[in-house]
Amino acid sequence: MPSHPARATADTAAHPSPLSGASERPVLEVDGIWKKFGDHDVLVDVSLSVRRGQTVCILGPSGSGKSTLLRCVNWLERPDHGHIYLSGQRIGFRQKSELPMSQAELAPIRARIGMVFQHFNLWPHLTVLGNLIEAPIFVQRRPREEVIAEAEALLEKIDLREKRDVYPARLSGGQKQRVAIARALAMRPSVLLFDEATSALDPELMGEVLVVMEELAKDGMTMVVVTHEMGFARDAADEIVFLDRGRVVEVSPPDKFFDVPKTERARQFLQRYGSSLRTGLRDVRASEARQ
Amino acid sequence: MSHEFAIVWAHKDRLLGGFANTILLSLLATAAALALASAIAIALMSHRRAVRAPARGFVDGMRCIPFLLLAYIVYYALPSLGIRLNNWTAGLCALVIYNAAYMAEILRGAWASLPREHIDAGLAFGFSGLKLYRRIVLPPIVLACVPVMGNQIIQIIKDSAFLTIIAVPELTHEASAIQSMYYVPFAAFVSAVALYWLLCRLVELAVAAVEHRARARR
């Protein structure tokens, strides 16, 4: 089967040339971000970097600043200090001068960052197809026919082709979130942000969304995933960033993080939430293998 | 009685001519008022006080002026400022200005209750400024206030009857002309009422159809 055009970036990312790899500049760099809401420090000197094709999962207790961090990446929240770079380009401030970017200047950068929200945030006045093609046509100004063909292929991929002309109000939560993921992919983003994409879903609907996310990670999409789904993080992440009270407490590969967490905070967190590890097939197999 | 209606029937061309003017005025006024209201709503929602305050003043001002007086002002008083409009245009302008204020307030209310999430998604996907407003904000708020907008359109139709005082040849004006010429007040005015009723009913049906489609998206 020919590879899908929307996947072009991810496909190339999946097979980086041996020479690019480590020396290549990260797709996303967050460098010393601070954010305060009133007197409350939400993010304190947070840094992380995401290389092409990597899936980075951000874990942490509720209120640890995970969502705020994601919203800072595409400037939906404005960080108080720090720098964010997308493929080397600084977000939020004009080059050379330190003047903040206007919304219009931010727009083309945001269009390169896909975002999947906790509450889907589909546009209710547009059909499923309309949601997918809206930004590619009106923001990226790509040819309508090309965008529609690509959107239809994406709907095929998430198994929702028959919902093409349905309004979001008529979809289940899981279907809405799959459409939201396809909407983000239709932009051919350099990086895809997931803000607790399964938290608003009933447990029986989570699976269908997690499957799509796992496939994307496997296909080499560059992803930053804020999640409470420990099973997903363990299976799909290349790196875990553990956030607590606005600080990055630990950055580890998933096997290290889940089996031998470095910090006491991470241990406590895993004790509390580890029991909610999604017991996917792989988890069951893994625990059998360990015994 | 039937004799009276026969006289009106004999002058049906005049009555229908007035009706056509009423329809045209209402259509144009609705379209223009909605467009103007969309712009005023932006100002009403602005974070900048300097932008918001004049828009707020205009909307509140219009809501406190009787329409009849506004029509007088546009037709009789504006010429002293050097703005001279014929009665038809003056009538249309009065309808647009007056109803745009109401419509802007309706849109503002719907906008204020629009979930922040839709706008966040718009921003995150690279929409900004007017494009964000036109593509992401305006369609759902217009859909959300279809029934109230329908009422406002009916208000425009009924307000247009006031334009008889500046001699715009609309339905009320023509009915009035027929009755004064032949002294058939009952038949002339009842015929006009029937035509107004017909027009308003059509608007109600159209609004119900649009509302039906809007509901599929909620």
Side-chain angles (χ1 to χ4, degrees):
Chain A
M1 207 179 86
S3 90
H4 189 266
R7 302 242 27 91
T9 350
D11 285 345
T12 37
H15 313 286
S17 81
L19 292 175
S20 59
S23 62
E24 193 184 355
R25 184 149 197 188
V27 174
L28 181 69
E29 293 167 275
V30 173
D31 182 17
I33 288 296
W34 296 68
K35 177 74 187 171
K36 246 181 203 282
F37 286 134
D39 287 337
H40 178 55
D41 286 315
V42 184
L43 295 174
V44 180
D45 196 19
V46 171
S47 299
L48 63 94
S49 85
V50 185
R51 273 177 285 115
R52 200 141 63 107
Q54 241 191 346
T55 296
V56 171
C57 280
I58 301 177
L59 305 182
S62 300
S64 56
K66 306 182 298 291
S67 291
T68 308
L69 173 58
L70 272 202
R71 292 171 63 86
C72 280
V73 166
N74 60 9
W75 228 250
L76 285 182
E77 296 290 352
R78 205 184 145 156
D80 300 330
H81 302 286
H83 303 245
I84 297 171
Y85 300 92
L86 180 69
S87 309
Q89 185 187 359
R90 181 155 184 212
I91 304 176
F93 291 90
R94 292 180 196 160
Q95 271 184 325
K96 289 169 192 159
S97 77
E98 280 290 291
L99 289 171
M101 287 180 168
S102 66
Q103 295 283 351
E105 287 168 306
L106 280 169
I109 302 176
R110 283 174 168 157
R112 288 158 51 205
I113 307 174
M115 182 132 183
V116 178
F117 297 85
Q118 180 177 1
H119 297 286
F120 332 121
N121 299 17
L122 293 174
W123 296 307
H125 59 290
L126 298 171
T127 60
V128 165
L129 184 76
N131 267 277
L132 263 63
I133 65 175
E134 182 74 4
I137 290 178
F138 292 100
V139 174
Q140 296 179 323
R141 302 246 169 242
R142 280 156 53 193
R144 194 182 176 84
E145 292 71 30
E146 172 199 301
V147 170
I148 289 177
E150 207 169 297
E152 283 173 339
L154 280 168
L155 287 178
E156 188 87 51
K157 203 178 157 89
I158 58 163
D159 212 12
L160 282 177
R161 201 189 167 88
E162 77 284 359
K163 301 289 184 190
R164 184 186 186 273
D165 301 315
V166 170
Y167 288 97
R170 297 284 173 272
L171 299 175
S172 74
Q175 291 172 334
K176 280 182 193 164
Q177 198 57 297
R178 279 146 67 200
V179 170
I181 293 172
R183 175 177 67 167
L185 289 173
M187 300 288 282
R188 300 174 175 172
S190 313
V191 56
L192 202 48
L193 312 178
F194 289 83
D195 184 9
E196 302 199 17
T198 54
S199 299
L201 298 175
D202 294 334
E204 67 265 30
L205 298 177
M206 269 181 203
E208 62 186 64
V209 174
L210 289 171
V211 164
V212 174
M213 289 168 63
E214 274 175 357
E215 270 173 28
L216 285 172
K218 234 183 285 167
D219 288 352
M221 185 75 212
T222 311
M223 295 166 38
V224 182
V225 184
V226 165
T227 185
H228 286 292
E229 285 304 301
M230 303 299 154
F232 171 82
R234 184 208 290 249
D235 293 344
D238 297 302
E239 195 161 71
I240 304 285
V241 173
F242 177 62
L243 218 59
D244 187 44
R245 292 180 214 152
R247 292 171 172 82
V248 174
V249 175
E250 187 166 339
V251 180
S252 304
D255 47 346
K256 291 256 165 52
F257 180 78
F258 285 103
D259 296 337
V260 277
K262 282 186 271 189
T263 57
E264 185 53 31
R265 286 299 301 164
R267 261 190 293 278
Q268 286 170 355
F269 172 77
L270 286 171
Q271 261 163 18
R272 196 174 311 153
Y273 294 88
S275 56
S276 72
L277 266 173
R278 183 174 58 96
T279 42
L281 267 182
R282 256 166 295 186
D283 298 297
V284 175
R285 273 193 222 117
S287 69
E288 277 168 358
R290 272 198 294 276
Q291 279 164 10
Chain B
M1 185 68 71
S2 59
H3 167 69
E4 278 195 18
F5 278 102
I7 292 173
V8 172
W9 181 251
H11 297 85
K12 62 179 182 301
D13 289 352
R14 188 152 187 199
L15 203 64
L16 290 177
F19 189 42
N21 258 329
T22 292
I23 294 173
L24 188 60
L25 274 169
S26 306
L27 275 178
L28 290 175
T30 299
L34 207 54
L36 185 58
S38 309
I40 297 170
I42 300 177
L44 287 175
M45 288 295 279
S46 172
H47 297 298
R48 281 185 221 131
R49 216 186 117 77
V51 177
R52 199 174 62 237
R56 179 44 61 204
F58 168 74
V59 168
D60 290 348
M62 278 303 141
R63 294 204 295 182
C64 297
I65 302 178
F67 176 71
L68 196 56
L69 266 181
L70 180 74
Y72 275 137
I73 289 171
V74 173
Y75 187 58
Y76 292 113
L78 283 190
S80 39
L81 299 176
I83 304 169
R84 213 167 291 276
L85 303 170
N86 67 29
N87 54 356
W88 207 93
T89 319
L92 178 63
C93 286
L95 278 177
V96 170
I97 296 168
Y98 194 73
N99 287 283
Y102 282 87
M103 286 179 165
E105 184 57 24
I106 294 170
L107 288 177
R108 190 207 57 80
W111 189 350
S113 54
L114 180 72
R116 176 73 212 171
E117 286 86 10
H118 304 329
I119 301 170
D120 269 357
L123 289 170
F125 278 75
F127 287 92
S128 67
L130 262 187
K131 204 191 283 173
L132 177 75
Y133 182 59
R134 210 165 48 81
R135 303 291 319 174
I136 305 296
V137 175
L138 197 54
I141 66 179
V142 167
L143 285 174
C145 54
V146 166
V148 200
M149 277 299 175
N151 285 344
Q152 202 55 45
I153 295 169
I154 286 173
Q155 200 58 51
I156 290 180
I157 294 170
K158 295 195 291 184
D159 280 349
S160 73
F162 280 117
L163 299 181
T164 181
I165 52 110
I166 56 170
V168 175
E170 45 69 56
L171 180 54
T172 301
H173 191 74
E174 296 304 290
S176 183
I178 293 169
Q179 85 81 23
S180 61
M181 211 176 297
Y182 303 100
Y183 199 65
V184 284
F186 184 81
F189 290 137
V190 164
S191 305
V193 164
L195 290 172
Y196 277 117
W197 177 83
L198 180 70
L199 184 56
C200 291
R201 191 75 198 109
L202 284 176
V203 169
E204 278 172 0
L205 288 173
V207 166
V210 176
E211 173 64 4
H212 181 73
R213 298 184 62 175
R215 218 172 283 146
R217 291 155 214 224
R218 266 175 224 149

